[in-house]
Amino acid sequence: MKTILAYYSNNGSNRYLAKKIADRINCEIEQIRPRLNIHLFLLFGINFGNKKLRHNLAEFDRVILCGPIWMGKFISPLRSFVKKYKSRINELIFVTCCGSGFEMKDKKFGHGLVFNEVKNILKDKCIHCEALPITLVVPEDKKEDPNVVMQTRLSDENFKGEIEEIFENFIKKVTIPD
Ligand SMILES: Cc1cc2nc3c(=O)[nH]c(=O)nc-3n(C[C@H](O)[C@H](O)[C@H](O)COP(=O)(O)O)c2cc1C
C-alpha cells in the first residue's frame, strides 16, 4: 500500500508524531505549509490556502493526515488541504495529537466532534481517525493544569507508556490489512 503522510504542526507535537509514524511505516512525508502562516489568522479560519505540494496525492493509495485541533475545529490548513485534494485522495486516515483526552472526546472542544467533521467531508474515503492526546504524557498531578497541558510537547523523553501503546496499535492498524 503506497502511503503518504501529510502534516501540519504549529508547536511541534504533530510534527514529532508525523515523523514517528512515517519512520515506522517507511512512507513519504509532506509538510502542509499555509501561504500565510500566522497562527492567529489560521486559528480564526483566515487562510489563503496552502503552498503547492511536492507530491501528487493521486499516486498514493492512502493519505495519513496529521495535525492539531484548535477550539474544537478541524483547523483551516487541514481543511484547505482536504477540500483542495479530495478528488485525488483515495483513502484517508486522520491522526491528531490534541489537547482533549478521551473523557472529553464528545464535549464541546473534544476530538470526537472533529472526527465527525472529517468523516462528513470525506465520507467513505475517511477510513479511520485516531487521537493521541497530549494529556497522556502530562504527569498525573498536572493533568488539570491547563498551562502545563498547553506547554507540553511530544518528545523522545515523554513518548512512553500509554501513548506508546496507542501508537503501536495505530501502527498495527495501518500496516496490517483488515
Ligand atoms: C489556541 C489553541 C486552541 C486549542 N484548542 C483545542 C481544542 O479545542 N481541542 C483540543 O483537543 N485541543 C486543543 N488545543 C490543543 C492542541 O491541539 C495541542 O496542544 C496540539 O498538540 C498542538 O499541536 P502542535 O504542537 O503540533 O501544534 C488547542 C491549542 C491551542 C494552541
Side-chain angles (χ1 to χ4, degrees):
M1 169 138 317
K2 205 173 166 204
T3 303
I4 183 163
L5 193 148
Y7 76 93
Y8 174 82
S9 176
N10 187 51
N11 283 322
S13 288
N14 283 279
R15 181 178 308 108
Y16 177 90
L17 180 60
K19 290 190 172 168
K20 211 169 166 69
I21 296 168
D23 269 4
R24 273 298 289 278
I25 63 175
N26 196 19
C27 73
E28 297 290 334
I29 187 161
E30 172 100 43
Q31 183 182 3
I32 297 172
R33 295 167 301 144
R35 284 207 182 92
L36 190 65
N37 199 6
I38 298 175
H39 184 231
L40 200 62
F41 280 20
L42 298 173
L43 191 58
F44 289 101
I46 304 165
N47 181 15
F48 299 96
N50 301 319
K51 291 184 185 162
K52 200 171 177 293
L53 298 178
R54 290 180 294 118
H55 297 88
N56 176 4
L57 298 186
E59 290 171 4
F60 294 85
D61 303 308
R62 180 181 279 178
V63 174
I64 301 178
L65 181 64
C66 178
I69 288 171
W70 299 331
M71 302 200 304
K73 295 263 162 42
F74 185 40
I75 66 167
S76 56
L78 301 184
R79 180 186 292 276
S80 297
F81 171 89
V82 161
K83 291 224 157 144
K84 179 159 184 193
Y85 298 113
K86 195 173 161 187
S87 63
R88 294 191 204 171
I89 294 173
N90 292 307
E91 248 181 23
L92 182 133
I93 291 173
F94 177 53
V95 55
T96 178
C97 172
C98 56
S100 54
F102 300 118
E103 70 295 346
M104 297 290 291
K105 179 174 172 275
D106 299 315
K107 302 257 163 68
K108 196 173 172 202
F109 297 106
H111 54 265
L113 305 183
V114 176
F115 290 178
N116 291 342
E117 223 181 319
V118 179
K119 286 172 192 159
N120 256 334
I121 301 172
L122 282 148
K123 309 279 187 258
D124 292 348
K125 289 186 177 190
C126 176
I127 58 159
H128 183 68
C129 292
E130 187 86 39
L132 286 87
I134 195 80
T135 43
L136 294 176
V137 304
V138 173
E140 211 54 51
D141 59 329
K142 302 267 171 31
K143 283 196 200 300
E144 303 297 319
D145 183 336
N147 288 331
V148 176
V149 173
M150 291 303 266
Q151 279 163 21
T152 304
R153 312 268 176 275
L154 291 185
S155 68
D156 287 345
E157 283 66 47
N158 64 23
F159 203 84
K160 294 187 173 96
E162 197 180 344
I163 199 160
E164 207 174 10
E165 274 172 38
I166 295 170
F167 175 79
E168 291 302 334
N169 282 332
F170 174 75
I171 296 296
K172 271 191 211 140
K173 213 168 279 167
V174 299
T175 48
I176 301 169
D178 289 333

